[in-house]
């Protein structure tokens, strides 16, 4: 419920200040993507904790998605310091 409320107010702020619908949709998609990876990580952790085997494809996919997000964050940090 808190995530939905935060997303609503953040999108409302973008619409009010900028007036750009695409900016609000982009913000929502970034937030949604970060939240949707958490259940996958929890599932992998639970299966490994119980001693069950995790399918290699699922494990590789999840690791690659997390690496993508990490490099994405590093890109934004770099751009915030070196671009105007």
């Amino acid at each position: 419920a808190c995530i939905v409320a935060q997303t609503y107010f953040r999108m409302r702020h973008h619409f009010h200040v900028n007036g750009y619908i695409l900016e609000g949709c982009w913000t929502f998609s970034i937030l949604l993507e970060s939240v949707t990876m958490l259940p996958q990580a929890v599932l992998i952790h639970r299966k490994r904790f119980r001693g069950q085997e995790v399918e290699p494809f699922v494990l590789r996919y999840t690791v690659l998605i997390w690496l993508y997000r990490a490099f994405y964050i590093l890109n934004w940090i770099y751009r915030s310091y070196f671009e105007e």
Side-chain angles (χ1 to χ4, degrees), residues 28-62:
F28 178 73
S29 72
I30 295 299
L31 292 171
L32 182 65
E33 185 181 10
S34 63
V35 172
T36 57
M37 286 307 299
L38 291 176
Q40 188 69 35
V42 169
L43 178 69
I44 288 173
H45 175 71
R46 285 183 183 168
K47 284 186 99 171
R48 294 188 112 188
F49 183 73
R50 293 179 183 157
Q52 298 174 346
E53 185 178 339
V54 179
E55 296 178 24
F57 175 76
V58 173
L59 187 60
R60 287 184 201 125
Y61 174 76
T62 306

Side-chain angles (χ1 to χ4, degrees), residues 30 33 63-73:
I30 295 299
E33 185 181 10
V63 168
L64 288 175
I65 291 294
W66 283 99
L67 285 173
Y68 160 73
R69 297 304 301 163
F71 282 115
Y72 191 77
I73 291 169

